[in-house]
Amino acid sequence: MTLFAEPYARVYDCFQARKDYAREADLIEGVFRRCGGGSIERVLDVGCGTGGHALILARRGYRVTGLDQSVDMLRRAEAKAAAAGLAATWVNGDLRSFAVDGGFDAALVMYSTLGYMLENDDVLSALRNVRRHLRAGGLLLFDVWYGPAVLTIKPSDRTTVVEVSDGTVTRTVKVELDARHHRCAVQYHFRHQSGSLAAQESEELHLVRYFFPLELELMLGQTGFALAALTAFPEVDRPPDLDSWNVLGVARAA
Ligand SMILES: C[S@@+](CC[C@H](N)C(=O)[O-])C[C@H]1O[C@@H](n2cnc3c(N)ncnc32)[C@H](O)[C@@H]1O
């Protein structure tokens, strides 16, 4: 089953309204400046979704390629780029197996996209494939759920309602932790209420893996990267602690 398909893709941006992509792009650029030697031009955004980071970086002058397995998410990224007159390349493919012209200066795998790689072999294939697309010395930036914090805080069920152009969408999330496999089952249920019409309902089950520092170091080492930093996200200067649900990893291609 394809995740982030319609109708989730249609309302994805509405549920991300409070996510500060511009601030995250500032943070990403800060890492580019600090660790990229001022030479980052070509950026590959893997799992780019509807283009939250890719479009901002394109507007700031980077040559961006966005890749995603969901055609529905990509279509939205493409439409937003066209509406804003931004040049970017959009590719439909799987993180583990896509192939585009390589030699990128940096790759982004943001917002837990790496967490969709559930088995160790999936993570290794994905990292190897991203590495193949980077030049030597290129940077990999990713944010993932941080295992020590996930097991401390523990995920909880929640309900969010957002306004859409023709009504409201209620998203109910039920979660179940699977500590043996470092993952969380996230069951999304959407209820779209539009005027007096009958509500439309849909569901998606997402399995999302969380990561521990030593396994990240090992996996990156095995796939041609060296882990340069692991910090509380969305900060870049603070080491993660038991309250840091998300961490930002920065790795350099050997
Ligand atoms: C949580 S969303 C993040 C999207 C975007 N990076 C953002 O920050 O809004 C995760 C994205 O990863 C994509 N994804 C999940 N598994 C993938 C895979 N195997 N290959 C490529 N993309 C994948 C999904 O389609 C989705 O767009």
Side-chain angles (χ1 to χ4, degrees):
M1 175 192 159
T2 306
L3 300 180
F4 297 93
E6 297 290 7
Y8 187 14
R10 191 177 343 127
V11 293
Y12 179 83
D13 284 351
C14 300
F15 283 98
Q16 306 309 325
R18 287 203 303 210
K19 186 171 171 66
D20 195 343
Y21 284 102
R23 179 167 169 237
E24 292 184 13
D26 292 345
L27 187 152
I28 290 166
E29 280 199 284
V31 174
F32 286 176
R33 279 192 294 274
R34 258 207 315 277
C35 307
S39 59
I40 307 287
E41 286 176 18
R42 289 189 68 212
V43 177
L44 176 64
D45 185 355
V46 182
C48 64
T50 58
H53 301 100
L55 293 169
I56 295 171
L57 293 174
R59 187 172 297 117
R60 295 182 187 180
Y62 295 91
R63 286 164 57 205
V64 178
T65 296
L67 175 125
D68 205 283
Q69 53 91 44
S70 164
V71 174
D72 297 323
M73 296 287 269
L74 266 186
R75 202 180 289 136
R76 292 194 151 67
E78 201 164 3
K80 287 196 275 181
L86 294 170
T89 303
W90 307 103
V91 180
N92 180 225
D94 190 293
L95 174 47
R96 292 158 286 193
S97 55
F98 72 92
V100 296
D101 281 346
F104 286 92
D105 302 311
L108 310 176
V109 191
M110 300 300 289
Y111 209 1
S112 307
T113 296
L114 200 59
Y116 286 83
M117 304 292 102
L118 299 176
E119 304 293 336
N120 288 343
D121 280 349
D122 296 321
V123 183
L124 294 171
S125 300
L127 291 174
R128 251 185 223 112
N129 198 26
V130 172
R131 171 63 191 91
R132 218 163 50 80
H133 286 82
L134 286 173
R135 64 165 167 79
L139 295 178
L140 165 65
L141 280 72
F142 59 93
D143 73 282
V144 290
W145 291 1
Y146 183 57
V150 171
L151 294 181
T152 304
I153 301 167
K154 295 197 175 67
S156 51
D157 297 347
R158 62 194 181 279
T159 298
T160 315
V161 183
V162 296
E163 305 280 334
V164 293
S165 57
D166 61 348
T168 59
V169 177
T170 303
R171 182 181 72 180
T172 307
V173 180
K174 289 195 181 305
V175 290
E176 200 176 321
L177 200 56
D178 175 358
R180 165 67 182 85
H181 297 101
H182 301 188
R183 70 174 73 148
C184 193
V186 184
Q187 178 72 56
Y188 290 104
H189 177 270
F190 298 93
R191 186 169 198 278
H192 184 173
Q193 185 70 60
S194 176
S196 58
L197 299 175
Q200 292 179 340
E201 314 216 12
S202 61
E203 299 209 322
E204 279 196 15
L205 173 64
H206 292 209
L207 299 178
V208 184
R209 178 173 176 161
Y210 46 85
F211 292 88
F212 294 85
L214 296 183
E215 64 174 343
L216 282 173
E217 204 165 45
L218 188 67
M219 288 170 156
L220 287 162
Q222 286 179 353
T223 52
F225 288 103
L227 182 63
L230 193 68
T231 60
F233 184 75
E235 297 159 63
V236 278
D237 299 321
R238 191 167 67 78
D241 57 27
L242 297 181
D243 292 323
S244 309
W245 188 280
N246 295 94
V247 284
L248 176 73
V250 180
R252 196 181 297 282

